[in-house]
């Protein structure tokens, strides 16, 4: 099996090219009580990995969602 980073493929939307790796400190940070995890968080939780390979668009969306969650707390 080819690793997604080596295949240059986004693990969230499946697009090819210009990928980055997004990291979180702990998987527990992704599981919020009473909230449904976003699509990228589901990928990470399902695979039990603290990293996800994402295209530029998905990676920007991850950071915009995370900053909105941080501002809300």
């Amino acid at each position: 099996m080819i690793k997604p980073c080596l295949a240059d493929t986004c693990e969230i939307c499946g697009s090819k090219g210009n990928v980055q790796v997004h990291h979180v400190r702990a998987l527990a940070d992704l599981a919020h009580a009473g909230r449904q995890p976003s699509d990228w968080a589901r990928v990470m939780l399902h695979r039990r990995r603290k990293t996800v390979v994402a295209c530029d668009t998905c990676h920007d969306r991850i950071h915009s969602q995370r900053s909105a969650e941080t501002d809300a707390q």
Side-chain angles (χ1 to χ4, degrees):
M1 182 176 146
I2 296 175
K3 302 281 185 193
C5 194
L6 295 175
D8 209 22
T9 304
C10 177
E11 292 181 279
I12 300 167
C13 70
S15 67
K16 297 209 178 263
N18 286 344
V19 295
Q20 302 173 17
V21 179
H22 179 74
H23 303 266
V24 295
R25 283 183 226 164
L27 288 175
D29 294 344
L30 299 176
H32 299 288
R35 284 193 203 163
Q36 289 286 5
S38 60
D39 57 345
W40 60 271
R42 260 185 258 125
V43 169
M44 296 174 84
L45 289 167
H46 178 71
R47 295 181 180 178
R48 294 184 181 176
R49 284 194 354 225
K50 297 190 314 181
T51 61
V52 66
V53 176
C55 64
D56 291 335
T57 305
C58 290
H59 197 239
D60 290 342
R61 189 168 45 87
I62 289 169
H63 281 283
S64 66
Q65 286 176 351
R66 289 187 61 82
S67 63
E69 289 173 3
T70 304
D71 292 344
Q73 291 178 352

